[in-house]
Amino acid sequence: MSTAIYPGSFDPVTLGHLNIIKRAAACFDGLIVCVMVNSKKTGMFTPEERVELLRKSTARFPNVEVDFSNELLAAYAKRRRAKVVVKGLRAVSDFEQEVQMAVINRHLNPKLETMFLASSEKYTYLSSTIVKEMARYGTDLTGLVPREIVDDVNRRMREMEGKEG
Ligand code: ADP
């Protein structure tokens, strides 16, 4: 059984992420999409909420599981017996940091390989940060995030703006 992990912050999941999930799920028996918790960053959604949004968005893929972890990715992969980490590469700008992380992860867990999937050209410029910016201006999020979560993102943005006064 070949299992791969697709780690990220997914705050929130975008159609760019979903495209990678769909393509990676077709390459492995099982794909674990893992929300990696970075305690220094507070996001738009809590890790539990991000998991929920990912579950809603990936319900149609039977071999995709969604999880979250505050461990090092290398340790998490070992515990879950996954041998491959999948990463999406949008542009040259992603490359340096991603290769650096791949090398460190292999140093920590020599059996762990990182595989890169090139972003679909439709989503090369899409990021969670762009989605948050668009939501702030009230732009229609259709075509940017999975349709199952459009309302959740809009609702949270309104709540956040309400708090800011
Ligand atoms: P973001 O940069 O959008 O906040 P994450 O940190 O959650 O995204 O990214 C998790 C993984 O998904 C990384 O490997 C990242 O390169 C990849 N990724 C993010 N957005 C896209 C996209 N639009 N197309 C392909 N891969 C992407």
Side-chain angles (χ1 to χ4, degrees):
M1 166 105 180
S2 65
T3 303
I5 296 177
Y6 177 38
S9 26
F10 304 109
D11 185 39
V13 56
T14 69
L15 285 182
H17 296 133
L18 196 64
N19 177 259
I20 299 289
I21 291 171
K22 192 165 109 188
R23 289 161 55 201
C27 298
F28 298 94
D29 296 322
L31 179 72
I32 304 170
V33 182
C34 187
V35 175
M36 302 308 285
V37 180
N38 176 346
S39 54
K40 270 188 277 172
K41 269 204 251 171
T42 53
M44 182 178 199
F45 293 97
T46 66
E48 291 81 359
E49 288 169 336
R50 295 177 208 178
V51 165
E52 208 38 56
L53 297 178
L54 273 161
R55 287 204 176 122
K56 268 197 205 181
S57 310
T58 60
R60 66 181 179 282
F61 304 119
N63 64 337
V64 172
E65 174 194 331
V66 184
D67 193 10
F68 78 95
S69 169
N70 52 18
E71 294 158 82
L72 264 177
L73 179 60
Y76 177 77
K78 201 177 226 167
R79 181 166 69 74
R80 298 300 314 263
R81 298 180 198 283
K83 295 194 181 73
V84 174
V85 170
V86 170
K87 287 299 195 91
L89 276 187
R90 278 164 289 195
V92 187
S93 50
D94 277 341
F95 185 79
E96 198 167 333
Q97 198 199 353
E98 293 293 355
V99 170
Q100 191 179 25
M101 296 223 301
V103 171
I104 293 206
N105 282 329
R106 198 141 58 94
H107 171 76
L108 295 171
N109 177 350
K111 290 188 190 136
L112 192 60
E113 288 293 354
T114 301
M115 295 189 183
F116 296 104
L117 289 181
S119 173
S120 154
E121 65 279 9
K122 271 203 298 201
Y123 303 124
T124 302
Y125 295 102
L126 184 54
S127 68
S128 298
T129 306
I130 293 281
V131 165
K132 284 180 263 197
E133 278 294 298
M134 294 299 119
R136 186 165 298 126
Y137 292 105
T139 310
D140 182 8
L141 299 180
T142 313
L144 301 181
V145 301
R147 62 182 183 288
E148 295 87 345
I149 73 159
V150 168
D151 290 344
D152 299 276
V153 179
N154 283 330
R155 193 174 323 117
R156 175 55 48 89
M157 187 49 76
R158 285 198 302 272
E159 285 165 11
M160 286 166 68
E161 286 181 337
K163 270 188 206 140
E164 279 166 16

